[in-house]
DNA sequence: ACCTGAACACCGTTCAAGT
DNA sequence: ACCTGAACACCGTTCAAGT
């Protein structure tokens, strides 16, 4: 929608700039300000420089205004966070439930949901403590419910599963985005998991066996597996647990 | 350890203060500064005024110094967060694993872990994105491993369960502390769940049935259950899933 | 109705200077 | 070695004033 602006972010220090020397060489606001444009820019800044960089002041600067101007369209930081999460959640798929393979559909939905967060690094950080009350989050919950019910999961168990799903996916996405931000701060493109796992493995191995008999002897098991392996494991646990719970009433 | 100080926090504006009118009427630092005292005060401020209030500047003020003084004992905000989490994690119990009732022990450990976070509101906020590398967190991981292995859970599944446990408990504790902070900001002692659930139930009921057939018809199921009910449900899902996973190799 | 500059009350971190 | 004041480069939010 306002993606024309995207190219100008992070263009590095401008070499040539024909304008009088003055305090703020920022572009004049061409288009009218809207909540949509504010969310666009928030997502762009988050993707470029991480969650913490996407402050109201920074967003205003990118839009060529002062921070006070945003308050005509967004009540406060919290409301902006809600709009961001809603925009992202709206991109999650809405499969039609098939009772023959609801469990695989449910797993796939969770993979897709995580990938949507990954495509907007940092957005998940606004997720925790938020009531899913806007369009996008409601659609995701409706989808989740339809898949669970297609599998014969009791309504109450399905409803609570939405909660558990949100908490778990949110936590994974938040954690990943913290790692991504840290890597960027360190000048890397992405976190170097294998290097880190090696170090961590050595550390666990070196723990005193009398006080940490299991961690020191099972150091390898503690550190093996990247994000994907651990996520697939968690999916098995969650869906297996859901089936067992449903089966025994 | 430095709990003598606790009483002076939040004592409200002091009525009587015998000192020359000056810029900063703060108490002189009697004791030497240590990392322990800094963590003490951080936990006290978080408990009194919420996570966001526990800034390095605020902690320094409570200790009667300037913010720069803290840097002799704590490298930065991130290291302080690690110390806080470690202090809290160290309070988690260390039951001796009993193969006859490992599953109930595991559940109880998770309940206890959540209660420890609850006793230090806000501390969980520092948990996400943190590698559990200090004493307290390692002890918790060791305990978790011992309970899983006592139940015949394969080592790899047990190791990954530690990860899943940390993510889930952390997310629940973070979410709860956000609600507590919000309630305090609104002047209440604790969040009023029943009032909120009523409103939210009405909201779900009022959703357009053509686009949200399940959420609108199952509004009651969506909102029933307090934190405890939902947590017990999640425990059943996680432990049931772990058993199913272990059983089928 | 929408936008603005300036101000208020905050942050984390650094650094030269003191003891 | 430990502590300090002052400064730097930031925050979110408010408010009177402009159009």
């Amino acid at each position: 929608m306002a993606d024309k602006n995207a190219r100008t972010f992070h263009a590095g220090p401008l070499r040539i700039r024909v304008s009088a020397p003055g305090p703020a060489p920022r572009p004049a606001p061409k288009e009218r300000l809207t909540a949509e444009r504010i969310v666009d820019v928030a997502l762009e800044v988050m993707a470029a420089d991480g969650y913490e960089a996407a402050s109201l002041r920074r967003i205003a600067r990118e839009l060529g205004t002062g921070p006070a101007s945003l308050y005509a369209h967004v009540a406060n930081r919290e409301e902006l966070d809600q709009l961001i999460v809603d925009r992202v959640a709206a991109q999650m798929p809405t499969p039609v439930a098939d009772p023959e393979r609801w469990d695989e559909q449910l797993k796939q939905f969770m993979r897709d949901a995580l990938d949507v967060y990954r495509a907007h690094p940092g957005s998940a950080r606004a997720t925790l403590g938020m009531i899913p009350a806007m369009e996008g989050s409601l659609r995701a919950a409706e989808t989740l419910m339809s898949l669970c019910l297609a599998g014969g999961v009791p309504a109450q168990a399905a409803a609570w599963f939405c909660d558990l799903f949100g908490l778990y996916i949110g936590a994974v996405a938040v954690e990943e985005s913290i790692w991504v931000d840290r890597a960027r701060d360190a000048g890397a493109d992405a976190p170097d998991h294998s290097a880190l796992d090696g170090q961590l493995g050595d550390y666990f191995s070196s723990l005193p066996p009398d006080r940490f008999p299991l961690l020191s002897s099972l150091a390898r098991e503690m550190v093996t597996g990247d994000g994907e392996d651990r996520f697939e494991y968690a999916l098995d646990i969650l869906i297996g647990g859901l089936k067992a719970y449903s089966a025994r009433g």
Side-chain angles (χ1 to χ4, degrees), chain A:
Chain A
M1 179 168 256
D3 281 308
K4 317 149 203 172
N5 297 16
R7 207 173 304 263
T8 69
F9 299 137
H10 245 299
L14 292 179
R15 232 69 68 90
I16 302 166
R17 177 171 276 283
V18 185
S19 73
R26 67 191 186 200
K30 292 141 216 277
E31 308 172 49
R32 294 181 103 277
L33 228 44
T34 62
E36 281 69 36
R37 289 226 299 145
I38 294 171
V39 173
D40 289 339
V41 173
L43 289 172
E44 286 162 359
V45 172
M46 272 181 1
D49 294 328
Y51 176 76
E52 309 229 300
S55 65
L56 291 175
R57 294 183 100 101
R58 167 72 183 275
I59 294 167
R61 216 179 305 134
E62 301 285 353
L63 282 164
T65 34
S69 302
L70 305 187
Y71 285 82
H73 304 92
V74 155
N76 48 36
R77 173 82 237 190
E78 194 173 326
E79 189 179 299
L80 176 56
D81 279 344
Q82 285 206 96
L83 293 174
I84 289 170
V85 171
D86 189 61
R87 174 80 72 84
V88 170
Q91 293 178 25
M92 293 176 187
T94 52
V96 176
D98 174 358
E100 297 299 310
R101 43 185 281 278
W102 71 280
D103 49 352
E104 183 46 45
Q105 284 182 305
L106 188 49
K107 276 192 193 181
Q108 192 55 45
F109 181 78
M110 294 179 76
R111 291 188 198 106
D112 292 341
L114 181 58
D115 283 340
V116 168
Y117 280 131
R118 281 174 172 156
H120 300 284
S123 64
R125 231 109 130 196
T127 245
L128 260 15
M130 180 172 297
I131 293 184
M134 295 185 68
E135 182 75 21
S137 318
L138 291 175
R139 279 243 323 273
E142 179 81 18
T143 300
L144 230 26
M145 288 298 286
S146 76
L147 295 176
C148 288
L149 296 182
V153 176
Q156 186 61 77
W160 284 345
F161 192 79
C162 293
D163 213 48
L164 178 51
F165 159 86
L167 242 20
Y168 174 68
I169 293 281
V172 172
V174 166
E175 189 134 75
E176 285 195 5
S177 92
I178 290 174
W179 287 107
V180 170
D181 287 356
R182 257 204 278 261
R184 177 183 21 241
D185 290 349
D189 257 16
D192 184 352
H193 281 112
S194 59
L196 204 134
D197 289 355
Q199 284 176 36
L200 198 57
D202 292 347
Y203 178 64
F204 278 127
S205 297
S206 74
L207 290 172
D210 53 325
R211 288 164 56 225
F212 301 106
L214 301 175
L215 296 188
S216 59
S217 65
L218 297 173
R220 159 135 305 143
E221 279 81 0
M222 294 306 291
V223 301
T224 52
D226 56 12
E228 239 52 57
D229 296 329
R230 287 162 190 265
F231 185 65
E232 288 297 325
Y233 166 81
L235 290 185
D236 282 343
I237 297 288
L238 290 175
I239 302 224
L242 187 59
K243 285 179 181 173
Y245 187 91
S246 303
R248 65 159 175 66

